[in-house]
Amino acid sequence: VVPFERPAGPSPRHRTVGVRVGSVMVGGGAPIVVQSMTNTDTADVDATVAQVAALARAGSELVRITVDRDEAAAAVPKIRERLDRLGVTVPLVGDFHYIGHQLLADHPACAEALDKYRINPGNVGFKEKKDRQFGAIVELAIKHDKAVRIGANWGSLDQELLTHLMNENAASAKPREMRWVTREAMIQSALLSAARAEEIGLGRDRIILSAKVSAVQDLIAVYQELARRSDYAIHLGLTEAGMGTKGIVASSAAIGILLQEGIGDTIRYSLTPEPGGDRTLEVKTAQELLQTMGFRTFVPLVAACPGCGRTTSSVFQELARDIQNWISTSMPEWRRTYPGVENLNVAVMGCIVNGPGESKHANIGISLPGTGEQPAAPVFIDGKKAMTLRGPTLAQDFQALVLDYIRK
Ligand code: SF4
């Protein structure tokens, strides 16, 4: 027998220079930061304040807002002020495209209220104009002591750079190989822009890089290379991830693999919400990824089996759902009352096959009776069978036991 010696866990974190964004550290060994972005019109102060507050309360540690025109820029300081009054201190990131240099220069209160400026090097202009406009934003970041994210994006790639690389490689690369040239253009766009920002005088401890792509394998390749070539703090995210399970699965696959390789200091799930859907889903999903991979803890984890032909009654599914919902709604209060509660593991299992075993691995677990089993549900606390529940109040009784465990 060959002993299984390989330690479980991710590769050591890629070493990056830490960047302070308001009160939050990104990179430099700090915990991986969860962030998100509003989809309200920033000029609508009420709607934007409400959504930023909801995202922050759901656990978003940075929130990005679109700053696309004068009205939006003028609203930013009002949004900051209203959030402060509500006690929502989450740092705000301004998302700028095309005319960021103008908006930041014309609205100094906006430039001051934001904690980070996102620049897209693909749409700040061409040639001398690009240099001037990019330089103007960087100078304003230096003046206001703000962090900058240089965010290259597959959908708005620096065409000048792409054309240059295409021409340079046209002789050697076959047309179907040109995809790697596009990936290279993404990497170079981010790195050359960062180098230019440093040349202008922005410290490396004020620069975060991202190079977002919408295809999983491309994204992994681009970020691996970005990390290999630099020590800038890294913002990870699959752009245009899509709706529903597709967006969640694709983002989790890409971000999860990179995090496992030690790459990534802050993550965002760019999920397309259902019309009128819950924007905070992207925050909860990001938290769940970090927690299930063991990077951070946010809420107690509920392990539940999928159920099968041995769980034909609905008792098991209902209990698993009720416990999950109860924990989610109780967390804001529990976090204040019971420090460390987020480390709790609860198991809700459907039958005797894996129920007792899995329940023993949890802090507290219950193994419900499957079809044909005795109508009794053993409860395991800290790995030992503590009691057996039965009867119509079984769900409430188990809930009371979980709360008792948390209190103790
Ligand atoms: Fe089915 Fe039991 Fe396994 Fe759950 S633990 S999936 S009920 S066999």
Side-chain angles (χ1 to χ4, degrees):
V1 175
V2 180
F4 183 68
E5 281 180 345
R6 189 168 159 261
S11 303
R13 297 269 305 275
H14 166 60
R15 287 168 69 94
T16 57
V17 176
V19 177
R20 182 183 48 77
V21 182
S23 55
V24 174
M25 276 305 289
V26 176
I32 298 161
V33 171
V34 170
Q35 63 171 290
S36 57
M37 183 175 183
T38 56
N39 62 354
T40 53
D41 176 0
T42 304
D44 183 342
V45 175
D46 289 347
T48 305
V49 166
Q51 197 174 71
V52 171
L55 290 166
R57 285 177 186 138
S60 185
E61 293 159 310
L62 299 175
V63 178
R64 184 158 43 117
I65 57 178
T66 299
V67 189
D68 57 345
R69 61 194 200 280
D70 285 311
E71 291 82 352
V76 171
K78 296 177 196 155
I79 291 166
R80 178 73 274 166
E81 201 185 304
R82 289 264 301 276
L83 288 168
D84 288 344
R85 269 194 271 135
L86 289 171
V88 178
T89 56
V90 67
L92 292 177
V93 181
D95 196 57
F96 294 99
H97 299 271
Y98 310 107
I99 54 165
H101 58 290
Q102 251 170 33
L103 294 172
L104 285 167
D106 294 348
H107 298 270
C110 164
E112 195 47 48
L114 294 168
D115 294 290
K116 184 172 74 170
Y117 311 153
R118 182 271 169 108
I119 313 175
N120 181 342
N123 61 28
V124 283
F126 291 102
K127 296 192 165 54
E128 299 78 26
K129 195 173 167 194
K130 174 184 174 176
D131 203 45
R132 209 171 48 246
Q133 297 184 166
F134 178 81
I137 304 180
V138 170
E139 276 164 16
L140 284 160
I142 296 168
K143 179 179 164 193
H144 292 279
D145 188 22
K146 304 294 178 182
V148 160
R149 169 160 70 99
I150 296 171
N153 194 298
W154 196 253
S156 48
L157 188 49
D158 183 333
Q159 289 305 310
E160 205 179 326
L161 180 61
L162 182 62
T163 308
H164 168 72
L165 287 172
M166 287 282 186
N167 291 339
E168 227 180 30
N169 293 281
S172 57
K174 299 184 186 83
R176 66 185 158 80
E177 291 171 346
M178 293 311 263
R179 199 169 177 92
W180 72 258
V181 179
T182 314
R183 289 201 293 261
E184 179 62 23
M186 290 283 293
I187 297 159
Q188 288 201 19
S189 175
L191 289 177
L192 292 171
S193 302
R196 177 73 191 120
E198 282 199 74
E199 214 175 273
I200 296 168
L202 191 66
R204 190 164 281 220
D205 61 349
R206 306 309 273 140
I207 301 173
I208 298 172
L209 295 189
S210 67
K212 294 191 183 179
V213 180
S214 59
V216 171
Q217 296 298 348
D218 285 320
L219 189 95
I220 293 168
V222 163
Y223 272 96
Q224 283 170 332
E225 199 51 26
L226 199 59
R228 195 182 67 77
R229 293 190 206 174
S230 79
D231 63 358
Y232 293 106
I234 286 183
H235 166 127
L236 274 191
L238 187 79
T239 192
E240 285 95 46
M243 292 185 93
T245 52
K246 188 266 168 187
I248 293 174
V249 170
S251 295
S252 301
I255 297 173
I257 286 169
L258 288 163
L259 291 178
Q260 187 69 6
E261 292 182 5
I263 299 167
D265 299 303
T266 174
I267 64 171
R268 186 207 168 194
Y269 270 69
S270 302
L271 302 179
T272 310
E274 298 287 341
D278 181 8
R279 190 68 169 176
T280 63
L281 177 68
E282 62 176 54
V283 177
K284 291 170 195 154
T285 312
Q287 287 185 330
E288 275 172 22
L289 179 79
L290 292 178
Q291 184 153 354
T292 52
M293 291 189 74
F295 290 108
R296 294 187 63 184
T297 49
F298 298 97
V299 289
L301 281 183
V302 180
C305 75
C308 65
R310 299 172 70 97
T311 53
T312 47
S313 91
S314 58
V315 176
F316 157 67
Q317 286 97 323
E318 281 169 12
L319 182 62
R321 180 203 58 199
D322 293 349
I323 290 287
Q324 183 76 64
N325 291 346
W326 173 59
I327 286 174
S328 300
T329 49
S330 306
M331 267 316 278
E333 189 203 321
W334 287 357
R335 230 178 241 119
R336 287 191 297 273
T337 322
Y338 308 115
V341 66
E342 62 276 9
N343 296 309
L344 181 76
N345 285 309
V346 181
V348 179
M349 299 293 290
C351 86
I352 201 169
V353 176
N354 291 326
E358 189 66 45
S359 298
K360 281 181 195 167
H361 288 303
N363 297 112
I364 177 163
I366 187 167
S367 175
L368 289 158
T371 318
E373 292 175 27
Q374 290 294 318
V379 173
F380 296 82
I381 297 178
D382 292 331
K384 293 193 183 69
K385 185 176 167 189
M387 67 203 62
T388 301
L389 298 178
R390 40 171 71 82
T393 59
L394 187 146
Q396 295 93 305
D397 295 345
F398 182 62
Q399 213 160 298
L401 287 171
V402 174
L403 193 54
D404 191 46
Y405 185 93
I406 293 170
R407 284 192 180 126
K408 281 181 185 153

